[in-house]
Amino acid sequence: MPISETFKGRLFPTLKEIAEHFGTPFHIYDETGIRETGQTLKDAFSDVKDFREYFAVKALPNPRILEIMKEMGFGFDCSSIPELLLSRMAGGRGEDIIFTSNNTSPEEFKVAAADGGCILNLDDVTLIPKVPELPEFIYFRYNPGPRRTGNAIIGSPAESKYGVSHEQILDAYRTVRDRGVRRFGLHNMLISNELDYKYMVETAQMLLELAEWISKEVGIVFESVNIGGGLGIPYKPEDRPLDIHAMAEEITGLLNQFEKRNGYAPGLCLESGRFMTGPHGVLVVKAINEKNIYRKYIGVDACMTALMRPAIYGAYHHISVLGKDSDQEHSIVDVVGSLCENNDKFAIQRSLPEIEEGDILIIQDTGAHGHSMGFNYNGKLRPKELLLRMDGSVELIRREETVNDYFATLNFEPLRQAQGS
Ligand SMILES: *Cc1c(COP(=O)(O)O)cnc(C)c1O
């Protein structure tokens, strides 16, 4: 979807100045928008007694952003040691953090248990004896296999490497119960970037039914069900936003019914990344070359290392040209980076206003899985990140990578010795 009118109103009037001051390319995130979405989530689920969002750190792993999440009362969903450390640096402790890993290593379990620990979300029964010290609070990630279909991005659960199978789930809880675990949660994440909220309601229903069954069979009570992330955002102008209020209302209804049947209801957790920050970031680039061969190409000063989604998912990101209206004269162009990969394109055969060298392009909805997915192939360096604060000031929250960063892990000693220096 085109950038929201409110974000545009905050950003566009000063964007030229920001670009001149900091230099392109950069991702810039909108603190106001992020906080508004956080409040929308909290309001939507305000009738759930115990609701908490655990921000999926991988979507936007920047300490300033995590600090904002912490201030809103959110926890952190982590799947790696650096994500655990970042969450703790942002003030997350114990139950503020849920560690949802897959194919987990001993080092990861060690760091998860350090510094006050965290909630462990185990991905397999064979991991139970590998946890050095089982924490008090354990989740299992459930994989329904052929019982459910996923959506296009995440694929069929039966082919997915995640989670504990239906056949193993009772044993999983029995085993940790017998080892002294006293607090239990149930987790599932089946979809990604889904705009139809019904999927999330189905997931909540499936987890609540499963929780009832496991409770009866194993004699435990569930403190929490976690329906994962995967809430979609409208990337295309014609996409309709996910109806978060309808989703929350129906899930609240399911929890109320559960309470009627069982005399209590578990808390509800979400692990949204994209929904929280996706629409509140843009990648700002400058047009530096134009090339006319069989197609017209606009070359910009960033490449897919700053935003992988178009190249790996064929994802659409809306683009506008600063100071040029969409009703101006158009041409059909591919907007491309400089990498030696033909899928290094931010847009393919897109109708855009006539672009001249030096024009600023705003590539939209890059606030989640944007910078964080970047890589360094071809020696391409990742851009800086800026935060547009509530008071209108702009803060550099990550500098751009330099050649020295890229060289930092290389061993140049043999070369130096050979050259006798
Ligand atoms: C990636 C991921 C999320 C966040 O997904 P979004 O699509 O950004 O909401 C949440 N939980 C888990 C376990 C994940 O792997």
Side-chain angles (χ1 to χ4, degrees):
M1 186 154 82
I3 179 173
S4 75
E5 284 306 315
T6 47
F7 183 15
K8 197 169 167 177
R10 284 188 283 275
L11 180 67
F12 281 24
T14 51
L15 186 53
K16 195 163 187 303
E17 222 180 300
I18 297 170
E20 271 162 18
H21 180 77
F22 289 97
T24 55
F26 55 82
H27 289 271
I28 183 164
Y29 311 116
D30 179 32
E31 177 175 5
T32 308
I34 293 172
R35 286 185 185 274
E36 282 171 1
T37 295
Q39 194 56 47
T40 300
L41 262 192
K42 288 203 269 189
D43 291 346
F45 287 97
S46 58
D47 288 337
V48 175
K49 259 177 245 147
D50 186 9
F51 167 77
R52 197 168 191 197
E53 151 78 356
Y54 285 78
F55 176 64
V57 173
K58 72 170 186 275
L60 185 43
N62 189 294
R64 273 297 273 128
I65 302 297
L66 301 188
E67 193 185 8
I68 294 170
M69 299 299 166
K70 183 82 177 50
E71 280 172 19
M72 291 192 292
F74 296 162
F76 303 110
D77 170 48
C78 303
S79 343
S80 67
I81 291 173
E83 288 181 359
L84 279 167
L85 297 178
L86 273 178
S87 301
R88 289 189 178 129
M89 283 177 206
R93 281 293 174 280
E95 286 173 35
D96 298 332
I97 300 173
I98 177 160
F99 187 61
T100 297
S101 61
N102 169 259
N103 185 23
T104 315
S105 69
E107 292 73 27
E108 287 172 323
F109 280 132
K110 213 165 132 196
V111 177
D115 258 345
C118 61
I119 301 171
L120 263 192
N121 185 13
L122 289 179
D123 192 63
D124 191 41
V125 287
T126 60
L127 293 174
I128 301 169
K130 294 185 179 172
V131 182
E133 210 178 312
L134 279 175
E136 187 189 53
F137 201 166
I138 288 275
Y139 276 69
F140 283 101
R141 180 173 187 163
Y142 172 66
N143 182 330
R147 286 162 192 80
R148 282 285 296 279
T149 51
N151 73 350
I153 291 192
I154 225 163
S156 150
E159 292 169 15
S160 145
K161 67 172 182 160
Y162 303 112
V164 178
S165 74
H166 190 79
E167 291 68 27
Q168 296 170 332
I169 197 81
L170 289 178
D171 254 355
Y173 283 99
R174 276 194 196 110
T175 307
V176 293
R177 177 203 62 193
D178 292 347
R179 295 200 179 192
V181 171
R182 287 292 164 262
R183 300 172 62 195
F184 304 93
L186 183 55
H187 173 276
N188 179 245
M189 163 135 181
L190 279 189
I191 52 161
S192 181
N193 191 28
E194 179 57 58
L195 289 170
D196 181 355
Y197 77 89
K198 292 278 183 191
Y199 275 94
M200 301 304 286
V201 177
E202 276 172 31
T203 294
Q205 176 154 18
M206 176 189 73
L207 287 183
L208 288 171
E209 283 169 8
L210 195 67
E212 260 173 337
W213 176 62
I214 299 170
S215 290
K216 216 176 303 146
E217 295 291 325
V218 183
I220 58 173
V221 166
F222 280 93
E223 206 171 303
S224 179
V225 292
N226 184 328
I227 57 176
L231 304 187
I233 58 166
Y235 285 98
K236 294 183 182 157
E238 67 270 24
D239 286 345
R240 306 235 337 240
L242 178 129
D243 190 343
I244 189 76
H245 294 284
M247 171 183 144
E249 201 180 304
E250 290 184 29
I251 293 177
T252 306
L254 292 174
L255 287 164
N256 290 340
Q257 289 163 21
F258 185 102
E259 186 164 11
K260 276 205 192 107
R261 288 194 302 271
N262 299 282
Y264 80 99
L268 179 76
C269 299
L270 259 185
E271 298 166 344
S272 278
R274 188 187 321 270
F275 187 81
M276 272 307 304
T277 57
H280 309 303
V282 293
L283 172 62
V284 177
V285 301
K286 192 188 284 171
I288 56 170
N289 289 299
E290 176 185 325
K291 168 169 176 170
N292 291 283
I293 46 171
Y294 308 104
R295 285 182 178 180
K296 178 168 178 171
Y297 294 95
I298 299 294
V300 299
D301 58 358
C303 66
M304 65 188 278
T305 62
L307 179 68
M308 299 277 288
R309 300 190 66 260
I312 62 177
Y313 305 124
Y316 179 95
H317 283 262
H318 200 71
I319 297 180
S320 29
V321 184
L322 190 64
K324 297 190 174 172
D325 290 335
S326 44
D327 49 12
Q328 270 173 292
E329 200 179 327
H330 281 63
S331 46
I332 305 289
V333 299
D334 283 11
V335 177
V336 303
S338 55
L339 208 130
C340 301
E341 270 290 341
N342 194 42
N343 57 358
D344 179 24
K345 297 180 176 182
F346 293 113
I348 296 173
Q349 295 297 280
R350 185 81 57 87
S351 172
L352 288 174
E354 288 299 338
I355 294 168
E356 287 152 73
E357 277 177 29
D359 276 351
I360 298 283
L361 274 64
I362 300 106
I363 304 174
Q364 293 159 32
D365 301 308
T366 69
H369 314 296
H371 189 287
S372 60
M373 236 189 220
F375 65 151
N376 282 131
Y377 183 53
N378 222 180
K380 299 296 178 183
L381 305 173
R382 276 166 291 198
K384 57 178 77 84
E385 293 179 293
L386 306 176
L387 179 66
L388 178 62
R389 297 208 305 217
M390 308 257 275
D391 64 4
S393 63
V394 176
E395 183 183 341
L396 178 71
I397 59 173
R398 185 201 292 263
R399 67 161 170 80
E400 68 273 28
E401 290 175 339
T402 64
V403 173
N404 280 338
D405 294 329
Y406 183 79
F407 286 173
T409 51
L410 294 170
N411 181 8
F412 289 103
E413 225 15 72
L415 278 185
R416 283 199 201 103
Q417 278 169 11
Q419 287 159 7
S421 60

